């Protein structure tokens, strides 16, 4: 069992930056690939970024590539999402998730989810 708690969301102007954190419970954090997803009002939850268990591989949605960076610190049981050059269309609830196998871009590959943190980008 893995429990995930996101933090770091908030209100920011377009062009600004935010850093999201996701703290995981348990001693097996390094056994999971981690991902970030987001869900805007009235839309499906969509993939944002994923990172492998040791952090050696990452993958991003085209919409955030070059602006967002996913990283992890296994000693701190934490995964991060650095978001730069934010746009109003990045406004959503951001969720972190844990996958017991390799990195993935679909929700079904992830077994554990956090409660989400709101990111609002004003124009």
């Amino acid at each position: 069992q893995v429990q995930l708690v996101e933090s770091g969301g908030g209100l920011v102007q377009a062009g600004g930056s935010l850093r999201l954190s996701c703290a995981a419970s348990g001693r097996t954090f390094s056994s999971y690939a981690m991902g970030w997803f987001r869900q805007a009002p009235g839309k499906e939850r969509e993939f944002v970024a994923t990172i492998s268990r040791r952090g050696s591989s990452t993958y991003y949605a085209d919409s955030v590539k070059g602006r967002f960076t996913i990283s992890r610190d296994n000693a701190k049981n934490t995964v991060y999402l650095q978001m730069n050059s934010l746009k109003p269309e990045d406004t959503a609830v951001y969720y972190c998730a844990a996958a017991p196998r390799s990195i993935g871009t679909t929700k079904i590959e992830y077994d554990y989810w956090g409660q989400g943190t709101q990111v609002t980008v004003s124009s």
Side-chain angles (χ1 to χ4, degrees):
Q1 189 80 9
V2 177
Q3 293 184 328
L4 304 171
V5 179
E6 302 96 335
S7 61
L11 173 64
V12 63
Q13 289 187 331
S17 298
L18 280 176
R19 188 195 196 200
L20 305 184
S21 299
C22 173
S25 66
R27 295 176 291 179
T28 59
F29 176 71
S30 60
S31 299
Y32 293 87
M34 298 298 295
W36 286 96
F37 289 74
R38 66 186 182 187
Q39 188 167 16
K43 294 188 176 182
E44 293 287 321
R45 191 172 300 188
E46 64 175 6
F47 166 76
V48 175
T50 183
I51 188 166
S52 60
R53 288 172 286 183
R54 295 185 178 183
S56 56
S57 297
T58 58
Y59 188 77
Y60 298 90
D62 287 343
S63 58
V64 306
K65 201 173 295 182
R67 300 188 297 123
F68 290 11
T69 302
I70 187 171
S71 62
R72 67 189 296 163
D73 185 337
N74 286 347
K76 295 182 178 180
N77 281 11
T78 303
V79 61
Y80 305 96
L81 186 68
Q82 177 67 44
M83 306 186 294
N84 298 330
S85 302
L86 282 161
K87 304 174 181 179
E89 50 263 45
D90 294 318
T91 295
V93 177
Y94 282 72
Y95 299 88
C96 72
R101 291 166 287 278
S102 60
I103 58 174
T105 62
T106 61
K107 297 187 295 290
I108 197 171
E109 297 173 273
Y110 291 81
D111 288 356
Y112 303 103
W113 294 83
Q115 82 291 346
T117 185
Q118 176 70 47
V119 171
T120 303
V121 184
S122 63
S123 57

